[in-house]
Amino acid sequence: MSATALQVQLRVVLSLVFRETRVRFGGTRLGYLWALIEPILHVAVLSAIYVVWGRIAPMGNLQMFFITGIMPFFLFSHTSSQLSRAISSNVSLLRLPPITHMDIIFAKALLQGLTWIIVFCMLLFIVMLGGKLMLPEVVEECGAAAFFTFLLGFGIGLNNAVLNVMFKAWDRVYSAVTRPLYLLSGVFYLVDSLPDKARHVLVWNPLVHAIEWFREGYFANFSSLTLDRGYLIKWSVASVVIGLCMERAFRRRLHTR
């Protein structure tokens, strides 16, 4: 691709990002605030449950423990869900010659990644106001964990975007299958603390490793017995490669749907 063509595609993607921002956050009164309210509600509810049960955080404090579980999970789930409907819900845009499937997918992914970073920083600011802030011990580890979690969400979302066009019921099937992931990914507990039989089952879930990796980088005295970085990386890369191959293989059929 020439430099001129690359500039054109970049402009197309950026224009789609601005359009997606208006569509996604400008349609309700809460708008942008909902992206921040949602994780706050999760942290507040989980913290209240722990306080009522008389439990303490396995590391750090309750707020930071839950934030470091919820935010990696949301990074995956929101990225994959936003990309899943990227093609099926933007048929009219695809009639414009400069815009391709991948332009829309990249725009949605870029917006979701930027939104996650902003929301995470705002959450840390709110926790700081309450005197509970803890900064990450190894920023590079947290960044790597977030990157491969995002890449996993991108790959799964790309696969779903193609499958949603090919099979109308796929969105419902995927939603039903993945709904329990919130309970099975270690968002509000440590997988290391579970019995061996349960832990040996949960380690097949790549999100377990995403959250464990993020927490290991965040908290100084935490060393996960469950974490397998290579497993998450393999899942992330494989999902992206398969998604790109599927989009390329079915590109003509996607245009005719």
Side-chain angles (χ1 to χ4, degrees), residues 20-94:
E20 179 66 19
T21 302
R22 292 194 301 270
V23 171
R24 183 176 172 187
F25 297 117
T28 64
R29 292 183 178 180
L30 288 177
Y32 296 95
L33 286 177
W34 178 246
L36 179 62
I37 292 173
E38 185 182 13
I40 289 177
L41 287 176
H42 281 257
V43 172
V45 170
L46 291 174
S47 298
I49 292 173
Y50 262 54
V51 170
V52 170
W53 286 355
R55 299 183 62 180
I56 61 173
M59 63 194 72
N61 54 63
L62 285 176
Q63 289 74 29
M64 292 308 307
F65 177 70
F66 291 135
I67 287 174
T68 54
I70 289 169
M71 290 307 291
F73 179 82
F74 277 1
L75 180 59
F76 166 79
S77 62
H78 289 176
T79 302
S80 60
S81 65
Q82 287 297 318
L83 268 60
S84 294
R85 295 179 290 273
I87 300 175
S88 58
S89 63
N90 289 279
V91 177
S92 59
L93 283 177
L94 293 171

Side-chain angles (χ1 to χ4, degrees), residues 21 30 59 125 133 158 215 248:
T21 302
L30 288 177
M59 63 194 72
F125 178 73
L133 178 64
L158 178 56
R215 281 180 171 152
R248 185 68 182 87

